[in-house]
Amino acid sequence: MSKSTLRYLFISVLFVSIYVSCKKTANIEQAEVSDTYVSDNYTKKEVDIEMRDGVKLHTTIYSPKDTSQEYPIIMQRTPYSSRPYGEGNFKEKIGPNIHMMKEGYIVVYQDVRGRWLSEGHYENMRAYIPNKTSEKDVDESSDTYDTIEWLVNNVENNNGNVGIWGISYPGFYSTYATVDAHPALKAASPQASIGDFFFDDFHHNGAYMLSYFRATSLFGTPRPNGDQPTDTAWYTLPDLQTEDQYQFFLDAGPLKNLNSFFEYETGDSPRMAVDGKTDDFFWNELKEHPNYDELWQSRGLIQHLKNVKSHVATMVVAGEFDAEDLYGPLETYKNIEKYNKDNYNTLVFGPWDHGAWARRRGKNVVGNYYFGEGISEFFQEEIETKFFHHFLKGSGDKNSGLPEAYVFDSGRKEWKQYDSWPPKGVVKQEMFLSENQELTNEQKGNAEIKFISDVKKPVPYSEDIKSVFTPRKYMTDDQRFAARRSDVLVFETNVLDEDLTLAGDIMAKLKVATTGTAADWIVKIIDVHPASEETHEDMQDHLKMSNYHLMVRSEVLRGRFRNSFSDPEPFVPNEKTAVNIKLQDVFHTIKKGHKLQVQVQSTWFPLIDLNPQTYVDNIFEAEKEDFKTQTHTVFTDSSIEFSVLK
C-alpha cells in the first residue's frame, strides 16, 4: 500500500472520528458568530412611530445590508428597553436566535408605551379594550397594529410578512398581538408569557410572592420629569443590605413595614407617601387589591383569547421549571386551542428555567439538576427557526413539519412529539395521603394527621442563604431538607416496579382543618431518586444525587380563596374543610426504582409572604399581633389526582 493511500485512509478515519464525536453538538459551535456580526451585516435605524392617538413609540430597526432580496419582519415589543440607543450602537445579537439572524430577517425592537424613549404613560399589564369607540381607546393590541401598519409600508425590502416573539413580559405583548391582529402578522411565539398577574409572577393562587419584592420598583417607579421619555434607568431595586433574605423578611415582620422601600425622591421635589400610599404605583396596587377584583381581572389576557385571528400561527413556549411564568404560557396555549379550533397553535414544553431556551450554554442544568446537552440549541435550530421560517418565508400552510406538542420528558430526559397536549392516552389516577407517610392507591381510613405551623419558624423554600431579584433554582431543589421538618407532612409510594409517566395537570384534593381562621396550603410533587444515583459535576458541593428529592411540581393556595379568588372567607376553627389546589402541567416519568413522594406544608418562606393564620381582610395591612401559631390537620381521605400517560 502506497504512502499516499495510507495518508488518505488516515485522514478519512480521522474525519469520521471527529464527525462522530461532534455529532451531538453539531452546528452549536458553527452557529456562533463574532461580536461585530450585526454591525457588519445589518444597518440600524431608529424611528418614532406615531400611534392613532398621537403618542410616538421609539422603535429600532435592523435591516440586512444585502438588499438584493426581500425579508420578513420579526419584532419584539418590550418594557425593558430596546437599547443600545444611537444608530451607531449595535446589539451583539438580534432576533430570537443566531440562526435567524444569519438567515436574514428585518429585526425590530420597540419600547412600549410609557417606557424608556417612548412617549405616553405606562400601565403595568395594560387592560385590553374589546370595543374601541375612538382613537383615544388604545391598548397593546392597537399599538402593535399601528406599528405593523407603519413597518410594512415604510421599511424597504420587507416581504409583507410579520412575526412577533418575546419572553416573559415581551411574551405577554406577543400574545396581545394576536388579538385584533394586523393582517400582515403571520406568526407569533409567546414565550414564558404572563397571562394574569394574579396567577403569574407576583401572585400564585392569591398568595403574594414575597420573593419578587425587589422586582416591584422595576414596574412601579414613575418616570421623572413629568413622565418624559428617558434613555437612562430611572428606578432602583430595594437594597436589603443582607444576603439572608429569610432572616430579613422574618425580622421585618408584617408587610406594611416594607412600605418605606417604595417612598422615592424624584428630582428637586421629594414625593413622600401620603394617606398610606407610597410613590410606587405597582406596590400600591398590590397592597390595595389583595383579592382578584376588577383591577386584576381587567388586566388578565387569558380571557380575551377566544377570537385569535386565524391568519396568525402561534407557537407557545414554556419552561417546565419556570418559577416566574408557568401559568401564563400553559393557559395561553390551552385557551387558544379551546376557542380557535382551526388555528395553527402549538406548544413547546422543555426542561428550562425562565427563558433558558434563548441561551446557548450547551449544558442544560436547572439549579442542581442536569437534563442533557444542547437542548436549548436544538430548540433554536430545529423548532423555533423552522416555525418562523415556514410562516414568514415559506408556504405558510399548516404543514410546518412540526408537531402539535414538542415536549420534553424531564424524567427520561428525552423529547417527545404528540398531536395533542395533554397527549392521547392520559387517564386520571388518584392516590391518597395515608398514615405512616404512605401514598396509596386506595383510601386507608379517615385519620387525622396534625402538625404545628409556627409563624416564627416558617418552612424555608430553599436551604440556600441568598437574596435574589427573582427566584429560579428552587424549582428543582433537593427537598430532603424540608422532608426532615416536623411541620412538613410526607407521603410516598414504595419503590416503583415500573415507570410512571405524569403528563398533564395535577389536582390536590385536600381535606383539612386548622385551629385558626386562616392558612396557606402548599403541595409538592417529588421524584425520590435511588441511593445508587450518580452525582453530577454541576451540583452544589454539599449535595449528592443519592436519594435526591427532585421537586417536579409545587403550588400554593391561600386558603381564604378556596371557594373564590374574588370573595375570600375565613376557616371555621377545627372544622373539616375541602381545599382543592391545581398544580400546573408536568411531563415527567418517575422511573422504575424511584419513589413518588408528596409533601404538604403551610408555610414556604420567603417565597410567599407569611400568612397571619388569623383572618384579616387584607394581609398587607396586618398587625404584628395578628400573626399566631396554629395547629393544622390533614385528613387521610385527602388525595392527589394525577394525569398519567398509559
Side-chain angles (χ1 to χ4, degrees):
M1 187 179 291
S2 68
K3 288 184 178 180
S4 61
T5 302
L6 284 171
R7 185 181 180 190
Y8 173 79
L9 286 172
F10 173 77
I11 293 173
S12 297
V13 171
L14 180 62
F15 175 79
V16 171
S17 173
I18 292 172
Y19 174 79
V20 171
S21 67
C22 294
K23 190 173 181 181
K24 289 185 179 180
T25 56
N27 297 322
I28 294 178
E29 291 84 0
Q30 297 172 13
E32 304 303 336
V33 294
S34 70
D35 293 343
T36 62
Y37 184 89
V38 178
S39 59
D40 291 342
N41 293 276
Y42 284 82
T43 60
K44 179 186 176 186
K45 184 178 182 180
E46 295 185 21
V47 297
D48 294 322
I49 301 176
E50 187 171 336
M51 301 294 102
R52 62 190 63 181
D53 64 343
V55 168
K56 294 179 180 178
L57 303 188
H58 189 78
T59 309
T60 301
I61 304 165
Y62 293 89
S63 299
K65 288 182 177 179
D66 178 4
T67 58
S68 64
Q69 58 179 302
E70 293 182 338
Y71 302 91
I73 296 169
I74 184 77
M75 65 183 294
Q76 180 181 106
R77 306 186 67 243
T78 178
Y80 301 133
S81 175
S82 59
R83 292 181 294 186
Y85 298 116
E87 294 192 354
N89 299 319
F90 287 74
K91 290 180 180 289
E92 289 186 3
K93 294 179 181 178
I94 57 174
N97 62 62
I98 60 176
H99 302 289
M100 293 176 63
M101 178 178 72
K102 293 175 69 177
E103 200 174 273
Y105 280 79
I106 298 167
V107 184
V108 175
Y109 295 90
Q110 183 178 77
D111 295 338
V112 297
R113 182 180 291 256
R115 298 290 282 187
W116 296 89
L117 283 180
S118 285
E119 297 176 351
H121 178 67
Y122 172 70
E123 290 184 14
N124 201 7
M125 296 283 284
R126 189 183 302 274
Y128 168 64
I129 303 173
N131 300 306
K132 300 175 178 66
T133 59
S134 74
E135 299 296 286
K136 298 297 183 182
D137 289 340
V138 293
D139 54 23
E140 305 303 341
S141 175
S142 66
D143 282 355
T144 308
Y145 190 105
D146 294 350
T147 298
I148 294 175
E149 178 70 12
W150 190 94
L151 291 172
V152 296
N153 286 299
N154 291 277
V155 176
E156 295 180 355
N157 297 316
N158 83 83
N159 70 358
N161 293 335
V162 179
I164 189 168
W165 97 102
I167 297 172
S168 195
Y169 216 138
F172 166 77
Y173 295 118
S174 300
T175 306
Y176 223 131
T178 68
V179 182
D180 297 335
H182 191 284
L185 185 66
K186 304 299 183 184
S189 184
Q191 304 180 1
S193 48
I194 303 168
D196 190 313
F197 253 174
F198 206 71
F199 303 97
D200 282 309
D201 285 295
F202 289 88
H203 299 95
H204 274 216
N205 290 329
Y208 169 57
M209 302 299 285
L210 184 59
S211 51
Y212 288 82
F213 173 78
R214 296 186 67 229
T216 306
S217 58
L218 177 62
F219 302 104
T221 307
R223 283 192 301 189
N225 304 316
D227 207 8
Q228 290 300 303
T230 178
D231 63 359
T232 305
W234 62 97
Y235 49 81
T236 57
L237 304 181
D239 182 5
L240 305 187
Q241 297 186 335
T242 177
E243 294 183 6
D244 188 346
Q245 61 182 7
Y246 181 99
Q247 195 62 46
F248 169 81
F249 285 115
L250 199 62
D251 292 344
L255 291 175
K256 64 188 306 181
N257 294 343
L258 301 175
N259 287 344
S260 60
F261 283 93
F262 303 110
E263 296 170 3
Y264 309 134
E265 292 186 5
T266 57
D268 297 327
S269 303
R271 300 174 58 207
M272 302 306 293
V274 294
D275 299 327
K277 291 185 179 293
T278 69
D279 298 315
D280 190 291
F281 56 82
F282 184 44
W283 178 251
N284 290 337
E285 289 173 345
L286 287 167
K287 68 193 192 74
E288 292 168 8
H289 299 271
N291 307 326
Y292 193 48
D293 59 15
E294 194 277 333
L295 176 88
W296 303 116
Q297 292 176 29
S298 68
R299 296 183 184 184
L301 191 56
I302 300 299
Q303 60 266 40
H304 297 298
L305 300 179
K306 297 181 178 180
N307 188 28
V308 172
K309 299 301 182 184
S310 60
H311 61 76
V312 184
T314 48
M315 183 181 73
V316 179
V317 182
E320 293 170 337
F321 300 96
D322 188 342
E324 295 186 40
D325 300 299
L326 189 57
Y327 168 90
L330 290 172
E331 289 301 311
T332 295
Y333 167 76
K334 290 177 180 179
N335 278 272
I336 294 176
E337 194 70 14
K338 179 179 179 180
Y339 294 109
N340 307 273
K341 300 293 186 183
D342 296 329
N343 285 29
Y344 181 98
N345 177 48
T346 59
L347 174 69
V348 181
F349 198 28
W352 300 299
D353 60 13
H354 193 62
W357 51 89
R359 298 189 282 273
R360 302 183 65 80
R361 295 176 178 169
K363 192 178 298 182
N364 200 122
V365 178
V366 179
N368 285 293
Y369 204 82
Y370 170 78
F371 290 101
E373 300 289 331
I375 296 172
S376 297
E377 290 82 358
F378 173 82
F379 162 75
Q380 292 169 34
E381 182 173 5
E382 299 298 331
I383 303 175
E384 184 176 48
T385 297
K386 286 185 176 180
F387 169 76
F388 281 118
H389 184 90
H390 179 76
F391 288 102
L392 300 181
K393 291 188 173 186
S395 65
D397 60 20
K398 292 186 178 181
N399 299 315
S400 67
L402 296 170
E404 171 74 18
Y406 227 134
V407 290
F408 191 90
D409 186 326
S410 54
R412 289 196 177 103
K413 301 181 181 179
E414 61 185 19
W415 285 105
K416 293 289 186 179
Q417 300 181 33
Y418 295 108
D419 57 9
S420 66
W421 182 261
K424 296 180 177 66
V426 166
V427 298
K428 298 297 184 182
Q429 181 173 327
E430 201 162 14
M431 305 186 81
F432 289 85
L433 310 184
S434 298
E435 289 185 283
N436 301 315
Q437 298 191 8
E438 292 183 338
L439 184 63
T440 60
N441 290 321
E442 303 292 337
Q443 180 182 339
K444 290 187 175 181
N446 193 12
E448 301 178 2
I449 305 175
K450 297 181 182 292
F451 67 96
I452 297 172
S453 180
D454 188 342
V455 293
K456 294 183 178 179
K457 295 182 179 180
V459 180
Y461 80 96
S462 171
E463 60 180 344
D464 293 343
I465 304 301
K466 59 185 178 181
S467 289
V468 298
F469 173 59
T470 56
R472 283 181 181 264
K473 69 175 285 292
Y474 84 92
M475 294 287 283
T476 61
D477 267 355
D478 187 348
Q479 296 300 306
R480 272 176 284 197
F481 78 94
R484 293 164 181 169
R485 287 182 57 116
S486 61
D487 50 0
V488 177
L489 302 184
V490 175
F491 309 89
E492 71 179 19
T493 64
N494 294 323
V495 174
L496 298 183
D497 55 13
E498 61 180 18
D499 289 353
L500 177 68
T501 299
L502 310 180
D505 63 14
I506 299 167
M507 181 65 76
K509 302 177 179 179
L510 302 184
K511 304 295 192 301
V512 300
T514 175
T515 54
T517 51
D520 293 334
W521 298 96
I522 295 102
V523 173
K524 299 183 291 191
I525 308 302
I526 293 160
D527 179 350
V528 179
H529 290 48
S532 59
E533 196 84 7
E534 293 185 4
T535 299
H536 189 264
E537 62 183 0
D538 290 301
M539 297 191 74
Q540 290 172 281
D541 291 340
H542 70 285
L543 292 176
K544 304 296 179 186
M545 279 303 300
S546 178
N547 197 38
Y548 193 90
H549 285 37
L550 171 67
M551 190 166 73
V552 175
R553 185 61 73 236
S554 55
E555 193 55 276
V556 57
L557 177 73
R558 180 136 285 171
R560 63 177 57 212
F561 297 119
R562 63 193 179 278
N563 295 319
S564 169
F565 290 110
S566 301
D567 299 306
E569 57 188 290
F571 286 91
V572 176
N574 301 309
E575 182 176 290
K576 186 176 182 180
T577 306
V579 173
N580 295 325
I581 309 172
K582 178 185 176 183
L583 286 73
Q584 300 301 332
D585 294 22
V586 300
F587 186 42
H588 185 89
T589 295
I590 312 291
K591 294 193 293 186
K592 177 182 177 180
H594 293 223
K595 292 186 286 187
L596 172 60
Q597 182 184 100
V598 173
Q599 292 183 6
V600 179
Q601 60 199 61
S602 194
T603 52
W604 211 13
F605 194 75
L607 185 70
I608 62 172
D609 64 314
L610 196 59
N611 194 316
Q613 302 192 139
T614 57
Y615 188 86
V616 294
D617 288 335
N618 185 350
I619 294 178
F620 281 89
E621 299 297 333
E623 302 290 348
K624 183 178 180 180
E625 54 268 24
D626 294 322
F627 291 79
K628 304 289 185 183
T629 292
Q630 304 289 355
T631 298
H632 300 327
T633 301
V634 174
F635 295 86
T636 56
D637 55 345
S638 298
S639 65
I640 310 293
E641 184 183 78
F642 295 99
S643 299
V644 177
L645 181 60
K646 296 296 187 179

XYZ file of all heavy atoms in Angstrom, residues 193-255:
516
model
N -44.942 33.616 28.654
C -45.787 34.808 28.597
C -46.620 34.972 29.861
O -47.255 34.029 30.327
C -46.718 34.723 27.381
O -47.348 33.444 27.331
N -46.613 36.166 30.413
C -47.511 36.486 31.520
C -48.946 36.386 30.991
O -49.251 36.855 29.898
C -47.252 37.913 32.031
C -45.791 38.081 32.447
C -48.167 38.246 33.202
C -45.381 39.515 32.677
N -49.819 35.795 31.782
C -51.214 35.688 31.367
C -52.160 36.451 32.270
O -53.164 36.994 31.828
N -51.801 36.505 33.565
C -52.654 37.160 34.548
C -51.814 37.355 35.804
O -51.294 36.389 36.367
C -53.886 36.293 34.845
C -54.940 37.003 35.671
O -54.565 37.635 36.689
O -56.136 36.934 35.329
N -51.655 38.608 36.238
C -50.775 38.915 37.363
C -51.302 38.417 38.707
O -50.623 38.554 39.726
C -50.517 40.420 37.438
C -49.133 40.821 37.003
C -48.785 42.159 36.902
C -48.165 39.886 36.705
C -47.508 42.543 36.503
C -46.890 40.250 36.306
C -46.562 41.585 36.202
N -52.492 37.817 38.740
C -52.959 37.228 39.993
C -52.544 35.756 40.082
O -52.738 35.120 41.108
C -54.473 37.350 40.128
C -54.955 37.347 41.561
C -54.715 38.427 42.391
C -55.642 36.258 42.084
C -55.145 38.421 43.719
C -56.082 36.244 43.403
C -55.825 37.327 44.226
N -51.973 35.240 38.987
C -51.555 33.840 38.964
C -50.126 33.664 38.449
O -49.567 32.578 38.544
C -52.526 33.022 38.103
C -53.945 33.112 38.574
C -54.832 34.009 37.997
C -54.393 32.326 39.615
C -56.135 34.108 38.439
C -55.696 32.417 40.072
C -56.578 33.317 39.487
N -49.539 34.710 37.903
C -48.157 34.695 37.433
C -47.311 35.623 38.288
O -47.820 36.589 38.865
C -48.067 35.219 35.986
C -48.485 34.191 34.957
O -47.974 33.065 35.000
O -49.324 34.529 34.100
N -46.027 35.379 38.329
C -45.058 36.299 38.920
C -45.383 36.698 40.355
O -44.894 36.089 41.292
C -44.914 37.567 38.055
C -44.113 37.316 36.789
O -42.929 37.006 36.895
O -44.693 37.423 35.704
N -46.197 37.721 40.531
C -46.359 38.343 41.842
C -47.428 37.693 42.721
O -47.521 38.000 43.902
C -46.647 39.841 41.684
C -45.444 40.613 41.203
C -45.189 40.758 39.853
C -44.546 41.162 42.096
C -44.080 41.450 39.403
C -43.428 41.855 41.663
C -43.194 41.996 40.312
N -48.232 36.840 42.143
C -49.198 36.067 42.927
C -49.215 34.624 42.425
O -49.006 34.379 41.238
C -50.628 36.610 42.784
C -50.837 38.004 43.240
N -50.794 39.089 42.396
C -51.102 38.513 44.471
C -51.030 40.195 43.071
N -51.209 39.881 44.333
N -49.493 33.713 43.330
C -49.839 32.343 42.949
C -51.101 31.987 43.722
O -51.078 31.900 44.949
C -48.718 31.359 43.309
C -47.662 31.242 42.266
N -47.019 30.056 41.979
C -47.134 32.145 41.419
C -46.142 30.237 41.011
N -46.182 31.509 40.662
N -52.190 31.828 42.996
C -53.457 31.465 43.635
C -53.753 32.336 44.855
O -54.173 31.852 45.904
C -53.454 29.987 44.035
C -53.515 29.069 42.835
O -54.103 29.401 41.806
N -52.915 27.901 42.948
N -53.507 33.643 44.682
C -53.852 34.599 45.732
C -52.781 34.859 46.753
O -52.856 35.847 47.494
N -51.767 33.993 46.837
C -50.663 34.230 47.765
C -49.692 35.217 47.126
O -49.333 35.086 45.955
C -49.955 32.926 48.095
N -49.265 36.203 47.900
C -48.310 37.187 47.397
C -46.922 36.562 47.368
O -46.446 36.013 48.360
C -48.310 38.434 48.282
C -47.165 39.386 48.001
C -46.977 39.914 46.728
C -46.265 39.732 49.000
C -45.915 40.776 46.461
C -45.210 40.600 48.749
C -45.034 41.110 47.474
O -43.979 41.948 47.205
N -46.259 36.663 46.203
C -44.926 36.089 46.042
C -43.890 37.085 46.572
O -43.394 37.949 45.857
C -44.670 35.745 44.581
C -45.689 34.773 43.991
S -45.715 33.164 44.829
C -44.210 32.435 44.198
N -43.591 36.951 47.839
C -42.676 37.868 48.504
C -41.279 37.829 47.876
O -40.533 38.807 47.940
C -42.602 37.512 49.988
C -41.769 38.402 50.902
C -42.264 39.848 50.868
C -41.794 37.867 52.330
N -40.948 36.724 47.239
C -39.644 36.584 46.607
C -39.462 37.529 45.425
O -38.343 37.716 44.942
C -39.452 35.141 46.141
O -40.564 34.717 45.378
N -40.546 38.137 44.951
C -40.468 39.107 43.856
C -40.454 40.549 44.372
O -40.557 41.488 43.589
C -41.636 38.913 42.890
C -41.503 37.663 42.069
C -41.884 36.438 42.587
C -40.957 37.696 40.791
C -41.736 35.277 41.860
C -40.809 36.537 40.056
C -41.201 35.332 40.596
O -41.037 34.192 39.868
N -40.320 40.703 45.682
C -40.371 42.021 46.303
C -39.424 43.017 45.638
O -39.798 44.143 45.318
C -40.040 41.877 47.794
C -39.904 43.172 48.525
C -41.036 43.886 48.906
C -38.650 43.689 48.844
C -40.911 45.091 49.585
C -38.527 44.888 49.521
C -39.662 45.589 49.893
N -38.182 42.599 45.393
C -37.188 43.529 44.844
C -37.500 43.922 43.400
O -36.980 44.925 42.898
C -35.780 42.925 44.943
C -35.321 42.704 46.363
C -33.874 42.246 46.430
N -32.972 43.304 45.977
C -32.009 43.123 45.081
N -31.850 41.937 44.501
N -31.215 44.109 44.738
N -38.321 43.135 42.706
C -38.655 43.457 41.313
C -39.769 44.494 41.205
O -40.033 45.009 40.114
C -39.068 42.183 40.572
N -40.406 44.827 42.316
C -41.573 45.714 42.286
C -41.259 47.069 41.673
O -42.005 47.580 40.828
C -42.129 45.903 43.714
O -42.393 44.625 44.290
C -43.422 46.712 43.682
N -40.144 47.667 42.089
C -39.821 49.021 41.629
C -39.573 49.077 40.129
O -39.730 50.134 39.504
C -38.593 49.560 42.371
O -37.483 48.702 42.184
N -39.191 47.964 39.533
C -38.970 47.911 38.093
C -40.241 48.266 37.329
O -40.193 48.873 36.256
C -38.498 46.503 37.709
C -38.265 46.199 36.228
C -37.170 47.075 35.659
C -37.912 44.726 36.060
N -41.387 47.936 37.902
C -42.665 48.144 37.221
C -43.456 49.329 37.766
O -44.387 49.798 37.118
C -43.526 46.881 37.335
C -42.869 45.656 36.778
C -42.317 44.701 37.629
C -42.773 45.458 35.412
C -41.700 43.569 37.116
C -42.159 44.326 34.894
C -41.620 43.385 35.749
N -43.100 49.789 38.980
C -43.955 50.779 39.616
C -43.351 52.138 39.880
O -44.027 53.022 40.419
N -42.091 52.342 39.501
C -41.475 53.648 39.707
C -41.878 54.596 38.581
O -41.625 54.298 37.412
C -39.937 53.540 39.732
O -39.545 52.558 40.698
C -39.311 54.883 40.077
N -42.488 55.734 38.888
C -42.873 56.673 37.822
C -41.639 57.265 37.138
O -40.618 57.518 37.787
C -43.647 57.770 38.576
C -43.987 57.191 39.910
C -42.908 56.209 40.227
N -41.736 57.473 35.820
C -40.638 58.172 35.139
C -40.568 59.613 35.638
O -41.606 60.248 35.870
C -40.850 58.161 33.620
C -40.514 56.846 32.965
C -40.448 56.961 31.449
N -41.677 57.424 30.837
C -41.907 57.437 29.526
N -40.991 57.012 28.680
N -43.052 57.890 29.046
N -39.368 60.158 35.783
C -39.218 61.526 36.307
C -39.586 62.585 35.273
O -39.852 62.276 34.106
C -37.736 61.598 36.669
C -37.085 60.621 35.732
C -38.082 59.505 35.549
N -39.587 63.814 35.729
C -39.802 64.977 34.851
C -41.117 64.903 34.083
O -41.171 65.106 32.868
C -38.623 65.137 33.875
C -37.293 65.257 34.587
O -37.182 65.974 35.573
N -36.291 64.526 34.104
N -42.163 64.576 34.826
C -43.478 64.566 34.196
C -43.665 63.422 33.222
O -44.360 63.561 32.207
N -43.045 62.277 33.515
C -43.213 61.084 32.685
C -42.635 61.271 31.285
O -43.172 60.765 30.305
C -44.699 60.698 32.591
C -44.896 59.201 32.330
O -43.904 58.448 32.368
O -46.046 58.802 32.072
N -41.524 61.976 31.204
C -40.892 62.199 29.906
C -40.027 60.998 29.500
O -39.484 60.301 30.349
C -40.016 63.455 29.962
C -40.809 64.748 30.067
C -41.742 64.941 28.880
O -41.314 64.948 27.731
N -43.023 65.088 29.163
N -39.891 60.749 28.185
C -39.021 59.671 27.717
C -37.599 59.846 28.234
O -37.114 60.967 28.401
C -39.079 59.814 26.194
C -40.411 60.439 25.926
C -40.627 61.391 27.065
N -36.929 58.725 28.491
C -35.559 58.766 29.005
C -34.793 57.551 28.510
O -35.369 56.470 28.333
C -35.548 58.794 30.545
O -34.205 58.779 31.008
C -36.291 57.613 31.130
N -33.493 57.728 28.289
C -32.664 56.600 27.873
C -31.854 56.051 29.034
O -30.975 55.210 28.863
C -31.737 57.002 26.725
C -30.745 58.096 27.115
O -30.793 58.563 28.270
O -29.936 58.486 26.255
N -32.166 56.508 30.243
C -31.436 56.105 31.439
C -32.394 55.477 32.447
O -33.505 55.987 32.640
C -30.743 57.319 32.085
O -29.915 57.958 31.096
C -29.888 56.893 33.276
N -31.979 54.412 33.076
C -32.828 53.753 34.067
C -33.188 54.726 35.183
O -32.319 55.380 35.748
C -32.122 52.524 34.625
N -34.445 54.819 35.503
C -34.942 55.773 36.498
C -35.375 55.077 37.789
O -35.821 55.718 38.729
C -36.131 56.554 35.926
C -37.312 55.674 35.586
C -38.409 55.424 36.351
C -37.491 54.904 34.394
N -39.258 54.558 35.727
C -38.717 54.227 34.508
C -36.740 54.718 33.234
C -39.208 53.371 33.510
C -37.220 53.872 32.248
C -38.437 53.213 32.378
N -35.262 53.782 37.836
C -35.680 53.018 39.006
C -34.459 52.366 39.646
O -33.430 52.133 39.006
C -36.691 51.932 38.614
C -36.237 51.096 37.434
C -35.346 50.045 37.590
C -36.697 51.390 36.144
C -34.909 49.298 36.514
C -36.266 50.654 35.058
C -35.377 49.606 35.250
O -34.943 48.876 34.172
N -34.555 52.089 40.921
C -33.517 51.337 41.628
C -34.193 50.209 42.398
O -35.331 50.357 42.866
C -32.740 52.229 42.613
O -33.656 52.837 43.541
C -31.964 53.303 41.872
N -33.500 49.105 42.528
C -34.050 47.961 43.244
C -33.827 48.138 44.741
O -32.790 48.659 45.157
C -33.388 46.670 42.767
C -33.452 46.383 41.267
C -32.772 45.050 40.964
C -34.880 46.394 40.756
N -34.774 47.737 45.561
C -34.578 47.840 47.008
C -33.324 47.104 47.461
O -33.042 45.989 47.007
C -35.843 47.162 47.575
C -36.863 47.296 46.487
C -36.104 47.194 45.208
N -32.568 47.740 48.311
C -31.346 47.157 48.849
C -31.650 46.589 50.236
O -31.878 47.333 51.190
C -30.247 48.217 48.930
C -28.926 47.650 49.441
O -28.844 46.421 49.645
O -27.984 48.441 49.626
N -31.663 45.272 50.350
C -31.983 44.640 51.621
C -30.803 44.684 52.585
O -30.966 44.405 53.774
C -32.397 43.182 51.400
C -33.545 42.934 50.405
C -33.948 41.461 50.430
C -34.738 43.823 50.698
N -29.627 45.004 52.084
C -28.409 45.115 52.883
C -28.088 43.823 53.642
O -27.560 43.849 54.753
C -28.500 46.304 53.844
C -28.619 47.637 53.114
C -28.564 48.829 54.043
O -28.887 48.723 55.219
N -28.129 49.962 53.517
N -28.438 42.720 53.014
C -28.098 41.410 53.575
C -28.207 40.378 52.470
O -28.934 40.581 51.492
C -29.052 41.028 54.725
O -28.707 39.702 55.196
C -30.499 41.002 54.265
N -27.495 39.293 52.635
C -27.622 38.172 51.706
C -28.560 37.108 52.249
O -28.782 36.083 51.609
C -26.242 37.567 51.410
C -25.325 38.515 50.643
C -23.993 37.883 50.294
O -23.841 36.665 50.546
O -23.119 38.585 49.771
N -29.112 37.357 53.414
C -30.008 36.383 54.047
C -31.441 36.919 53.995
O -31.911 37.570 54.925
C -29.564 36.141 55.490
C -30.330 34.999 56.153
O -31.365 34.570 55.604
O -29.891 34.544 57.228
N -32.136 36.633 52.885
C -33.480 37.179 52.728
C -34.472 36.530 53.695
O -35.456 37.164 54.109
C -33.960 37.002 51.289
C -34.060 35.573 50.818
C -34.506 35.461 49.370
O -34.626 36.460 48.672
N -34.745 34.241 48.921
N -34.256 35.290 54.072
C -35.143 34.628 55.035
C -35.177 35.418 56.339
O -36.239 35.785 56.842
C -34.674 33.195 55.277
C -35.532 32.395 56.251
C -36.488 31.509 55.778
C -35.363 32.521 57.626
C -37.270 30.765 56.659
C -36.131 31.796 58.518
C -37.084 30.909 58.034
O -37.859 30.184 58.918
N -33.983 35.707 56.876
C -33.924 36.424 58.151
C -34.402 37.868 57.998
O -35.050 38.419 58.891
C -32.501 36.403 58.705
C -32.428 36.792 60.175
C -33.190 35.828 61.061
O -33.071 34.610 60.921
N -34.013 36.365 61.968
N -34.092 38.485 56.836
C -34.512 39.864 56.618
C -36.030 39.997 56.693
O -36.556 40.851 57.421
C -34.029 40.367 55.250
C -34.649 41.684 54.855
C -34.149 42.878 55.344
C -35.767 41.725 54.014
C -34.742 44.094 55.009
C -36.355 42.931 53.672
C -35.849 44.121 54.173
N -36.746 39.169 55.953
C -38.200 39.295 55.926
C -38.832 38.832 57.243
O -39.872 39.352 57.655
C -38.782 38.514 54.752
C -38.577 39.184 53.418
C -37.793 38.598 52.442
C -39.170 40.411 53.148
C -37.598 39.216 51.216
C -38.978 41.040 51.925
C -38.186 40.446 50.954
N -38.200 37.866 57.915
C -38.710 37.437 59.216
C -38.581 38.575 60.224
O -39.518 38.861 60.987
C -37.937 36.206 59.690
C -38.589 35.362 60.783
C -39.913 34.788 60.314
C -37.647 34.234 61.200
N -37.439 39.269 60.207
C -37.229 40.392 61.119
C -38.098 41.593 60.754
O -38.517 42.348 61.644
C -35.757 40.813 61.106
C -34.838 39.776 61.723
O -35.342 38.879 62.435
O -33.616 39.847 61.468
N -38.376 41.770 59.456
C -39.176 42.922 59.018
C -40.595 42.854 59.541
O -41.230 43.877 59.789
C -39.176 43.007 57.492
N -41.115 41.636 59.714
C -42.460 41.491 60.246
C -43.528 41.713 59.201
O -43.346 41.390 58.024
N -44.679 42.293 59.567
C -45.796 42.462 58.648
C -45.416 43.224 57.380
O -44.499 44.064 57.384
C -46.809 43.254 59.477
C -46.491 42.915 60.891
C -44.993 42.762 60.927
N -46.133 42.949 56.294
C -45.851 43.569 55.000
C -45.901 45.092 55.061
O -45.167 45.767 54.328
C -46.845 43.062 53.954
C -46.727 41.594 53.536
C -47.862 41.222 52.591
C -45.379 41.324 52.880
